[in-house]
Amino acid sequence: MGGTGVDIDDISEQPVHENTAGAPAPPAAHEVLAVVFQIRQGRLSVLLWRRARPPFEGAWVLPGGRIGASEGLDESIRRQLAQKVDVCDLTHLEQLETRGDPGRHPHGRILATSYLGLVPADIDPVTPEDTSWHPASGLPSMGFDHAAMVHAGRRRLRAKLSYTNVGFALAPQEFTMSELSGYYRAALGHDVAATNLRRVLLRRGQIEETGRSVPSGRSGGRPAALFRFRARRLEITDAFAVLRPPSQ
């Protein structure tokens, strides 16, 4: 990524030689990539960086790079996010998918394992100049198959908001129900009523009141109660639940 750039370009700069009959195929290189989401200004946003050289020069891609010789997948993606895009504040990280289409990278056979990462809304990571947040619903021109990975990450997040407590990874430690419904609305892509969300999440045991509140605004009214997630690790709370749009 610029001076601290992602090493995707270093994955396979050597020419790919055709395999002779009966000869073993060369081992495929393996990269890890991160679909990092955060709710920013009321929108679900994804962290992307702009490539500075071919292939796909000038296009936006996901942060990541080649796995180190002595690294596991999880270790590698955490290292690369911390070193290359200065993202250390992930509250959730899980493996998303592995893509192995022989033609997905013009430099040869390169497997790609993508991860879904979430950053809470009250954190503002400091990122390099060639890195920025983009609305997940309006992606710029992207290289490789990375746009498909972003869409896969968005589908995974929407599904998990229905049957797990993964909302903890999008929200601050404490929040009002109005704020939390805004995070859910941004991630799900449809309206979420605060009163209904409160009822559902309390019934599932995901959230609890802190006993504190925030003062009312200029218009007066009742102070808004503060809530928190009971657990800040992933838990399945209703395996068959689906959070549907109001019309459904």
Side-chain angles (χ1 to χ4, degrees):
M1 301 185 51
T4 61
V6 174
D7 297 329
I8 292 177
D9 291 306
D10 300 327
I11 291 175
S12 180
E13 295 291 354
Q14 299 301 319
V16 178
H17 299 285
E18 293 186 4
N19 196 22
T20 58
H30 200 153
E31 62 182 355
V32 285
L33 301 164
V35 181
V36 179
F37 287 133
Q38 184 182 33
I39 307 299
R40 300 178 68 86
Q41 298 179 337
R43 298 185 298 185
L44 182 68
S45 301
V46 61
L47 185 66
L48 304 175
W49 69 274
R50 191 188 290 275
R51 286 182 64 85
R53 51 181 171 170
F56 299 105
E57 181 178 2
W60 293 93
V61 294
L62 295 170
R66 189 173 182 176
I67 301 168
S70 60
E71 288 181 320
L73 295 173
D74 289 14
E75 179 186 2
S76 182
I77 194 60
R78 287 186 180 277
R79 172 185 62 80
Q80 295 190 66
L81 285 172
Q83 292 181 353
K84 298 171 181 177
V85 291
D86 298 328
V87 173
C88 304
D89 299 304
L90 293 168
T91 46
H92 179 70
L93 183 69
E94 67 176 67
Q95 195 172 127
L96 182 59
E97 62 180 1
T98 296
R99 291 175 175 261
D101 184 340
R104 64 170 300 275
H105 197 297
H107 285 166
R109 184 68 185 272
I110 299 176
L111 304 178
T113 296
S114 59
Y115 280 76
L116 169 65
L118 302 176
V119 176
D122 61 334
I123 299 294
D124 190 15
V126 178
T127 56
E129 292 183 359
D130 55 0
T131 307
S132 63
W133 296 91
H134 296 258
S137 59
L139 295 174
S141 176
M142 296 189 67
F144 307 101
D145 49 2
H146 293 193
M149 295 181 187
V150 175
H151 295 316
R154 196 178 184 192
R155 289 192 298 271
R156 173 74 64 83
L157 175 59
R158 286 176 169 178
K160 287 211 161 182
L161 282 171
S162 290
Y163 66 89
T164 77
N165 67 336
V166 77
F168 79 85
L170 297 173
Q173 293 278 347
E174 297 184 352
F175 45 83
T176 66
M177 286 310 305
S178 176
E179 291 169 337
L180 187 64
S181 67
Y183 303 143
Y184 272 70
R185 183 182 307 114
L188 292 170
H190 61 74
D191 190 37
V192 179
T195 53
N196 291 340
L197 185 64
R198 177 182 181 274
R199 173 177 51 80
V200 169
L201 297 188
L202 283 172
R203 186 182 71 237
R204 296 178 184 175
Q206 290 190 23
I207 62 173
E208 62 186 3
E209 291 196 46
T210 66
R212 293 183 292 278
S213 61
V214 295
S216 57
R218 290 184 178 180
S219 59
R222 184 177 180 181
L226 285 170
F227 291 79
R228 63 188 169 216
F229 278 88
R230 295 174 62 90
R232 296 194 68 82
R233 63 183 183 279
L234 190 67
E235 295 179 347
I236 296 175
T237 57
D238 193 334
F240 303 104
V242 178
L243 294 175
R244 301 184 185 278
S247 60
Q248 300 182 18

